[in-house]
Amino acid sequence: MLKHYLLAAGFALSVTAPGVAQTTNSGTDKFKQLETELPTPNTYRTASGAPGHDYWQQRADYNIRVKLDDDKQAITGSEDITYTNLSPDVLTYLWVQLDQNILDKNSITTATQVGQVQEKMTFPAMEYLMNSDFDGGFKIESVKMKGGKDLPHVINHTMMRIDLPTPLRPKQNVTFSISWRYNINDQLKINERSGYEFFPEDKNYLYEIAQFYPRMAVYSDFQGWQHKQFLGNGEFALPFGDYKVSITAPADHVVGATGTLQNPDQVLSAAQRKRLASAENASKPVLIVTQQEAERAEQGSKAKSTKTWTFAAKNVRDFAWCSSRKFIWDAMQIKEQGKPVMCMSYYPKEGNPLWGKYSTEVVAHTIKTYSKFTIPYQYPVAISVHGPVGGMEYPMICFNGGRPEKDGTYTADRKYGMISVIIHEVGHNFFPMIVNSDERQWTWMDEGLNTFVQYLTEQEWERDYPSRRGEPKNIVDYMRTDKSLQTPIMTNSESVLQFGNNAYAKPATALNILRETVMGRQLFDYSFKEYATRWAYKHPTPADFFRTMEDASGVDLDWFWRGWFYTTDHTDLSIEGVKWYTVDSKNPEVENAKKRELINAAPKTISQQRNLQDIKKTLVDVKPDLKDFYNNYDPTATTDADRARYQKYYSGLTPAQQQRLNAGVHFYEVELKNNGGLVMPVIVQMTYEDGKQEVVNIPAEIWRKNNEHVTKVFVTEKPVVAFSLDPYLQTADTDLSNNSYPQKAAPSRFELFQQQQQAPLNPMQQQSALQQKEQKPLNNTTGGGSN
């Protein structure tokens, strides 16, 4: 009977009328539509979220010549930009991005950095506060019209305005040239998205180069020129165009870049060209430059001569490259819907065995999986480069970290961290390199969407892959932090607090919840693919994403966007109480037995218990003549009159009513409260008396008339002994202790530790030490492809 005691709060014997609908609102309207927050649809962008019939976007084509100085770690370059005005507007000036000026001595980023002096500080922390004396900004040497005439220009930190001699009218283009130079930063000292790493053992440099040229800013229908300053977090908004880039580097360097190599006969050996051709039909990565060849190059005398590598890329928004004599290079071609894609990796020997075993395989897996969930990959190349940049993306090429220990061993965290960063950065080819959102304004539109598809890709790499982001349970700690430490997802990139949680993890988790809990996989996957298809090689906004997801699914999601993207509310649903009702069958035999059972099961009060012991006889025990009818009356006894009344009542019912009366169903009125403010679906698990369980999914619209407090009636054929919310951790509920009735304590634990003086051996090192002790070799295959 304990289970009945636990559930019988507010127990009643009958319900004679249906429950009254709850219509008292909580004072807010979390289901209010988003029309007032979203821009008004027009002929450029429709109310459905699709591009309108008058949609347009600008175009910028580049011919770039750049030289790497390996002695001074510097870049010199010149470029011709052909800018085509496809807008309906007349432009009297153009805006060009000078993102390298983030490392200028007068950088606005440095000037606005904040910090604190601690009682104990590391040297890097102190140097951060002191600012570096490194000067890495662009030195613009000339800006000229085609033909040589100087163009007036004004540099405003990371932006440069070029004043045109004559207005640029619709459908016209203009070609101008810029010459520049700058110093390359030591990436391990000045952590940026580009830079070099110096290897003191062999005195070689490895370069990962991006933002190396003045780039056109976006001019769009929804905001005009995007000329927000580059402060560090907000990345890049760029127009599409065709690129031809010639890179001059030391003759013994291997160069990789966006696009396809145009002059392999001039820069590759016959053996390398043969190996590259064999990669076209390979089932595993083929080594184009082997580790032995890379080691000979890095240990030999440094070349004084140069080679020029020329690459071409069509319909891309940016260009990046890498160069080093240390590079091992492998490749493997795959087909994506019949189109060949050469997947490649460049890495120093310090990256093995991890990089040779995994990198190119991860690249290929990422291209295939992202293509399945979004659009087919259209570019001919996809490259992963290992160097000092921990993770950064560009069209067809990305820079990734994840290096094993010097003895070749690594932890599981290092392995999966490396695989995850490659998936993430290669995945950026889709968001934002193809679906070209404005990263300078909305980081979440590329990082959040990309992190979500990264999660899907990780799960298809390996069963139960240890994904850091995507699962609702992984965002709980962030969601329950103080709201003063959070910002809504819909916050400008430079103002976001807790950048990784807010711009990456929270939107990725939101999309996973949409897919698994709110919409279902079928509706979500179709709508997400529709968004990618509509906006491939175009410039979408948040409204275009929100509207497309609703338009393609037929699901009203305004409440979801409002809660997850426009507020810092969190999920905390609770069961405040449960009332158990059964139908009064009117059968006196049945109902009187229930009454008797309840009376017998009722607990004795402490006074009643002590009176039984202390009061041996009451007055009516001593004087029986004081007793009357009620001293012997049993209210639970069934009389003939009771039976007759029941038979008359029962015979007047229809057969259907008699069946319902005899069904013996149970009614449970569950009181639900929204403590966190974020309206979410209510997922209820009922545990029956026989141990079986049932899960009921209730859409979030249950909160539409009262955002804070509702009751829900569940009708069951079997007695329920427990109710719980979110049993599969689908909604990122931040407090599980109030999710159960009867209440259950949420498990937690604490750890005792001593400060460690030395990092422990990783599991591979422990195994090696043990096997060396037993004189057994470590089973560690290095991979690395084939010749």
Side-chain angles (χ1 to χ4, degrees):
M1 297 301 293
L2 178 60
K3 57 184 177 294
H4 283 175
Y5 169 71
L6 289 172
L7 288 173
F11 188 95
L13 293 178
S14 65
V15 175
T16 58
V20 178
Q22 297 160 331
T23 58
T24 303
N25 203 282
S26 56
T28 60
D29 184 5
K30 298 182 183 295
F31 288 86
K32 179 183 177 183
Q33 296 295 284
L34 276 177
E35 275 89 351
T36 56
E37 282 80 8
L38 301 183
T40 303
N42 51 45
T43 60
Y44 308 131
R45 294 166 192 272
T46 68
S48 70
H53 61 270
D54 287 331
Y55 176 82
W56 55 266
Q57 63 188 37
Q58 308 291 65
R59 181 176 181 84
D61 299 311
Y62 296 83
N63 185 357
I64 303 173
R65 300 156 296 277
V66 64
K67 183 176 182 180
L68 169 66
D69 188 331
D70 190 39
D71 294 324
K72 297 180 179 178
Q73 289 72 60
I75 293 284
T76 57
S78 63
E79 64 184 348
D80 303 319
I81 304 176
T82 300
Y83 186 77
T84 304
N85 181 16
L86 297 174
S87 79
D89 307 325
V90 176
L91 304 178
T92 58
Y93 50 78
L94 307 177
W95 280 99
V96 175
Q97 299 184 53
L98 302 178
D99 301 296
Q100 195 64 32
N101 280 357
I102 195 173
L103 295 178
D104 186 80
K105 278 187 169 294
N106 297 317
S107 165
I108 189 174
T109 301
T110 302
T112 57
Q113 283 174 347
V114 297
Q116 291 180 314
V117 177
Q118 307 292 334
E119 290 186 4
K120 294 183 178 180
M121 296 183 67
T122 63
F123 278 97
M126 182 185 68
E127 290 167 358
Y128 173 84
L129 293 178
M130 293 174 64
N131 297 324
S132 170
D133 59 0
F134 174 75
D135 184 1
F138 276 124
K139 309 304 177 189
I140 302 297
E141 297 183 332
S142 68
V143 181
K144 296 177 181 292
M145 279 290 291
K146 184 177 182 180
K149 183 179 179 180
D150 287 339
L151 278 174
H153 58 278
V154 175
I155 295 176
N156 178 17
H157 294 289
T158 61
M159 300 301 302
M160 177 170 69
R161 191 188 74 234
I162 298 176
D163 299 326
L164 298 175
T166 57
L168 186 63
R169 300 188 178 280
K171 305 298 187 291
Q172 291 183 341
N173 63 52
V174 61
T175 300
F176 59 96
S177 302
I178 304 176
S179 297
W180 73 92
R181 58 183 172 82
Y182 73 90
N183 298 315
I184 307 171
N185 58 294
D186 183 338
Q187 170 63 17
L188 300 182
K189 294 180 179 178
I190 302 174
N191 184 11
E192 289 295 335
R193 291 166 171 78
S194 176
Y196 70 78
E197 178 179 3
F198 177 66
F199 293 80
E201 296 86 353
D202 51 61
K203 296 181 172 52
N204 278 289
Y205 292 85
L206 187 158
Y207 300 90
E208 293 175 319
I209 304 298
Q211 294 85 248
F212 66 97
Y213 62 103
R215 307 183 292 181
M216 290 303 307
V218 167
Y219 183 79
S220 67
D221 61 278
F222 60 90
Q223 67 178 352
W225 286 108
Q226 166 54 288
H227 44 34
K228 292 183 182 296
Q229 295 291 334
F230 178 41
L231 300 180
N233 281 344
E235 290 182 349
F236 313 113
L238 300 160
F240 286 99
D242 294 344
Y243 284 71
K244 178 183 177 184
V245 181
S246 298
I247 302 166
T248 300
D252 52 358
H253 272 217
V254 173
V255 176
T258 297
T260 54
L261 182 62
Q262 301 298 293
N263 58 337
D265 292 345
Q266 298 174 20
V267 295
L268 301 181
S269 68
Q272 291 167 345
R273 296 196 300 273
K274 183 178 179 181
R275 294 167 185 170
L276 193 56
S278 70
E280 295 178 2
N281 300 305
S283 59
K284 62 179 181 178
V286 173
L287 284 165
I288 314 304
V289 176
T290 68
Q291 179 164 332
Q292 293 77 14
E293 291 167 340
E295 288 176 349
R296 284 199 298 270
E298 70 183 17
Q299 293 164 6
S301 58
K302 309 300 186 285
K304 299 300 182 183
S305 59
T306 61
K307 286 182 181 178
T308 297
W309 301 60
T310 300
F311 296 87
K314 290 189 174 297
N315 203 28
V316 294
R317 54 166 251 169
D318 200 3
F319 191 100
W321 52 282
C322 62
S323 182
S324 181
R325 59 179 57 87
K326 291 180 65 67
F327 276 142
I328 304 165
W329 174 14
D330 69 40
M332 175 181 68
Q333 185 168 280
I334 62 171
K335 294 287 181 68
E336 181 49 49
Q337 294 198 4
K339 188 176 181 66
V341 181
M342 188 64 80
C343 301
M344 301 191 290
S345 298
Y346 297 78
Y347 47 95
K349 66 178 187 300
E350 286 78 5
N352 272 334
L354 274 176
W355 277 77
K357 185 177 182 68
Y358 291 115
S359 179
T360 297
E361 293 282 6
V362 177
V363 173
H365 172 70
T366 303
I367 294 300
K368 286 185 173 294
T369 310
Y370 272 70
S371 295
K372 179 176 70 172
F373 286 108
T374 61
I375 55 173
Y377 187 75
Q378 295 294 307
Y379 294 133
V381 172
I383 299 172
S384 170
V385 182
H386 177 47
V389 178
M392 193 56 203
E393 71 277 3
Y394 302 94
M396 301 185 230
I397 189 171
C398 57
F399 307 149
N400 305 304
R403 189 170 294 176
E405 303 293 338
K406 289 185 177 182
D407 62 4
T409 65
Y410 46 86
T411 63
D413 285 347
R414 182 59 55 88
K415 168 191 168 181
Y416 289 112
M418 172 235 183
I419 293 173
S420 289
V421 75
I422 295 174
I423 291 174
H424 182 89
E425 305 305 343
V426 173
H428 270 306
N429 277 287
F430 296 82
F431 304 103
M433 302 304 158
I434 295 174
V435 182
N436 190 15
S437 54
D438 180 358
E439 300 175 84
R440 188 63 52 89
Q441 179 65 40
W442 307 115
T443 296
W444 71 267
M445 285 198 74
D446 73 290
E447 297 296 358
L449 271 61
N450 184 46
T451 301
F452 165 67
V453 189
Q454 172 194 342
Y455 167 76
L456 301 179
T457 305
E458 289 170 346
Q459 295 308 307
E460 293 204 15
W461 172 269
E462 180 178 312
R463 186 77 61 192
D464 296 324
Y465 186 100
S467 298
R468 290 179 53 224
R469 293 165 172 156
E471 286 283 6
K473 64 181 181 180
N474 294 341
I475 198 66
V476 166
D477 287 342
Y478 169 68
M479 296 289 280
R480 64 183 168 208
T481 56
D482 191 301
K483 288 192 174 184
S484 66
L485 303 176
Q486 299 184 39
T487 48
I489 292 175
M490 288 292 290
T491 299
N492 176 266
S493 302
E494 297 296 353
S495 300
V496 168
L497 301 178
Q498 299 198 56
F499 201 75
N501 282 322
N502 187 282
Y504 293 68
K506 186 178 177 182
T509 304
L511 294 180
N512 193 25
I513 290 173
L514 267 186
R515 184 174 189 254
E516 301 287 18
T517 302
V518 176
M519 299 173 70
R521 291 189 174 189
Q522 184 180 36
L523 283 176
F524 179 93
D525 289 352
Y526 180 87
S527 304
F528 195 72
K529 183 180 281 286
E530 180 67 14
Y531 166 71
T533 302
R534 285 179 175 182
W535 290 99
Y537 308 100
K538 296 182 177 69
H539 303 298
T541 67
D544 300 319
F545 176 67
F546 297 153
R547 286 169 167 155
T548 295
M549 292 299 292
E550 295 190 26
D551 178 68
S553 68
V555 180
D556 182 357
L557 297 170
D558 283 20
W559 62 271
F560 188 87
W561 309 130
R562 184 182 296 281
W564 275 89
F565 286 75
Y566 286 85
T567 77
T568 56
D569 290 345
H570 61 276
T571 308
D572 180 12
L573 305 184
S574 64
I575 299 178
E576 296 295 298
V578 176
K579 296 178 181 179
W580 175 26
Y581 299 86
T582 56
V583 176
D584 188 341
S585 68
K586 300 295 185 180
N587 186 334
E589 303 284 359
V590 174
E591 299 305 323
N592 285 336
K594 290 180 181 179
K595 291 178 184 178
R596 194 158 40 247
E597 184 178 348
L598 283 174
I599 292 170
N600 293 335
K604 299 290 185 182
T605 69
I606 190 65
S607 294
Q608 288 175 320
Q609 295 177 50
R610 290 172 178 170
N611 287 341
L612 281 174
Q613 183 177 6
D614 295 345
I615 302 174
K616 303 305 180 183
K617 288 187 176 182
T618 64
L619 182 60
V620 297
D621 293 328
V622 176
K623 297 182 177 182
D625 57 322
L626 294 178
K627 297 181 178 181
D628 67 356
F629 169 81
Y630 291 103
N631 289 98
N632 296 306
Y633 172 66
D634 180 3
T636 65
T638 303
T639 66
D640 290 338
D642 294 333
R643 297 185 183 94
R645 281 193 298 271
Y646 171 68
Q647 287 301 324
K648 182 179 179 181
Y649 162 75
Y650 190 78
S651 62
L653 300 177
T654 66
Q657 290 173 330
Q658 291 175 359
Q659 184 177 3
R660 290 194 189 97
L661 189 66
N662 295 327
V665 295
H666 303 264
F667 294 80
Y668 295 93
E669 183 183 284
V670 180
E671 182 182 357
L672 301 167
K673 188 176 180 183
N674 178 5
N675 304 293
L678 191 59
V679 292
M680 287 293 285
V682 179
I683 302 155
V684 182
Q685 183 182 71
M686 295 179 287
T687 302
Y688 294 108
E689 190 175 39
D690 60 7
K692 294 184 178 179
Q693 294 180 326
E694 180 183 0
V695 175
V696 178
N697 291 273
I698 305 169
E701 282 76 6
I702 189 176
W703 304 99
R704 69 187 182 279
K705 293 185 178 179
N706 190 313
N707 302 161
E708 294 182 357
H709 185 272
V710 296
T711 58
K712 178 68 177 176
V713 174
F714 297 88
V715 182
T716 67
E717 294 181 355
K718 299 183 292 186
V720 178
V721 297
F723 289 86
S724 62
L725 300 179
D726 197 11
Y728 305 127
L729 306 180
Q730 295 173 244
T731 66
D733 196 307
T734 60
D735 184 1
L736 300 181
S737 68
N738 57 19
N739 281 27
S740 301
Y741 193 93
Q743 188 173 16
K744 293 190 297 186
S748 187
R749 60 183 176 177
F750 65 92
E751 179 183 1
L752 295 174
F753 67 93
Q754 290 182 329
Q755 185 173 359
Q756 295 176 340
Q757 301 298 320
Q758 183 176 344
L761 297 177
N762 65 49
M764 292 178 73
Q765 290 170 330
Q766 293 175 22
Q767 182 188 4
S768 175
L770 180 63
Q771 290 180 335
Q772 286 178 5
K773 202 171 187 180
E774 298 174 353
Q775 295 185 338
K776 294 180 181 179
L778 174 64
N779 181 17
N780 175 26
T781 58
T782 63
S786 62
N787 283 335

